[in-house]
Amino acid sequence: MNDSYAKGLLGHSTAGEHERLLLLEKLCDPGTIRILERLPLTRSWTCVDVGAGTGSVARWLADRCPEGQITATDLDTRFLESMPRPDNLAVSQQDVTTTDFPANSLDLVHARAVLTHLPYPEIVVQRMSSWLKPGGWLVIEDPSYLPAQASPYPDFAALLLACEKLLAQTHGTDNSWARRIPRVMAEARLTNLKMSAELSACGRDELEDAYWRQCFSQAIPALMTSGLMTEQQINRAIEHLDQPEFTDIAWMMVSCWGQRQ
Ligand SMILES: C[S@@+](CC[C@H](N)C(=O)[O-])C[C@H]1O[C@@H](n2cnc3c(N)ncnc32)[C@H](O)[C@@H]1O
């Protein structure tokens, strides 16, 4: 297993990571499903969800492609193994940077919030494109945190910036990746490229706040031990979430999809 992800802040053994991923899927699935519904999905498509996390997208695909075959892959499959799943949904422990599916074998490859954490995402896009049948679709979604410094709440800006630095230090997460996706997909000779973006804001609704509170609480010990923030600074930033007038854009989920020629 790729140790750096597994041992980092977002590793599946980290306390609260299962809850965070369940909140992430609730937050992001409606946007992902809107995109998947724009594709010419048939009942017999063969699909792979890379870095499937807790498996909700793979389960949705299995439901929509009952005569097809769906594979949910992840570096760490513990949350996938425990989910109820139909016969057309397989779980496979794989590192997308080192393993392959046969060339020209898939109708759809989807990866959400995965490539931003990988060291050479461009190579992974090339690799995933090669798995597609001619006419098959690649859907890549990754968050962009916008410039954290631009937040009009300085305490909150400091927290977002510190989280970004922490993810870069512990996982190699690259916040600039999302902006490069369209170019990299074009370079992989994918056509019919389409894009969309969904904002996630703090202080807007209960689900979003629950997600962000979970992220921050998971990060607190590492933020303090790494010296990126003191406890008082963190508390001042998080207190914003209790103020009814507070709202701030936290990220933008950038989604791009394209078709193999
Ligand atoms: C932030 S989570 C996103 C989970 C899910 N895609 C979602 O959006 O709900 C990232 C997932 O990618 C997996 N992952 C990280 N590096 C990976 C790699 N090299 N190969 C396969 N999966 C990986 C992690 O284990 C984790 O489940």
Side-chain angles (χ1 to χ4, degrees):
M1 195 185 290
N2 178 327
D3 263 10
S4 72
Y5 193 94
K7 287 186 182 148
L9 188 62
L10 306 179
H12 290 191
S13 309
T14 302
E17 180 60 4
H18 192 213
E19 290 70 26
R20 191 189 72 86
L21 289 178
L22 291 172
L23 289 165
L24 180 71
E25 64 176 38
K26 275 200 196 135
L27 201 58
C28 298
D29 281 3
T32 298
I33 289 169
R34 271 195 292 281
I35 292 165
L36 297 177
E37 283 184 328
R38 289 173 66 176
L39 305 181
L41 273 177
T42 74
R43 293 173 64 80
S44 58
W45 268 21
T46 304
C47 311
V48 169
D49 190 24
V50 171
T54 35
S56 60
V57 172
R59 288 196 303 277
W60 186 89
L61 286 167
D63 189 51
R64 290 297 295 265
C65 308
E67 291 152 24
Q69 179 61 46
I70 315 302
T71 307
T73 76
D74 207 288
L75 263 187
D76 183 335
T77 51
R78 75 183 78 176
F79 302 145
L80 297 169
E81 302 290 353
S82 55
M83 70 180 178
R85 63 189 139 102
D87 291 344
N88 64 332
L89 173 51
V91 169
S92 176
Q93 194 268 313
Q94 292 189 19
D95 178 345
V96 70
T97 63
T98 56
T99 55
D100 265 316
F101 283 85
N104 309 322
S105 63
L106 303 175
D107 296 293
L108 171 71
V109 178
H110 170 261
R112 184 177 72 198
V114 181
L115 271 67
T116 190
H117 303 298
L118 303 182
Y120 302 106
E122 293 82 358
I123 295 174
V124 175
V125 170
Q126 294 279 353
R127 154 177 267 141
M128 295 193 301
S129 305
S130 75
W131 305 340
L132 293 171
K133 299 174 183 169
W137 291 86
L138 177 63
V139 182
I140 299 177
E141 309 186 83
D142 274 300
S144 168
Y145 290 85
L146 306 172
Q149 304 88 315
S151 166
Y153 301 92
D155 296 331
F156 201 65
L159 177 60
L160 293 176
L161 195 59
C163 288
E164 193 181 317
K165 284 188 183 154
L166 188 63
L167 283 177
Q169 283 168 12
T170 57
H171 284 287
T173 304
D174 178 0
N175 186 32
S176 70
W177 158 247
R179 187 160 180 172
R180 302 205 302 279
I181 302 172
R183 176 170 181 172
V184 171
M185 288 180 77
E187 284 171 351
R189 294 162 48 94
L190 293 159
T191 57
N192 284 330
L193 280 184
K194 306 266 187 312
M195 292 156 225
S196 69
E198 293 272 337
L199 291 181
S200 173
C202 295
R204 192 168 61 162
D205 74 32
E206 273 178 28
L207 173 59
E208 286 178 315
D209 281 2
Y211 175 74
W212 288 105
R213 281 183 195 279
Q214 182 62 43
C215 292
F216 297 143
S217 76
Q218 219 163 300
I220 287 171
L223 286 171
M224 292 190 330
T225 50
S226 61
L228 283 165
M229 288 186 95
T230 64
E231 193 172 3
Q232 291 89 325
Q233 287 170 321
I234 296 170
N235 289 340
R236 270 207 308 276
I238 294 181
E239 275 164 20
H240 280 296
L241 290 171
D242 298 323
Q243 292 160 8
E245 72 282 6
F246 171 74
T247 185
D248 192 21
I249 298 169
W251 80 12
M252 185 170 66
M253 181 64 84
V254 176
S255 307
C256 302
W257 58 105
Q259 195 171 21
R260 182 158 173 219
Q261 287 172 324

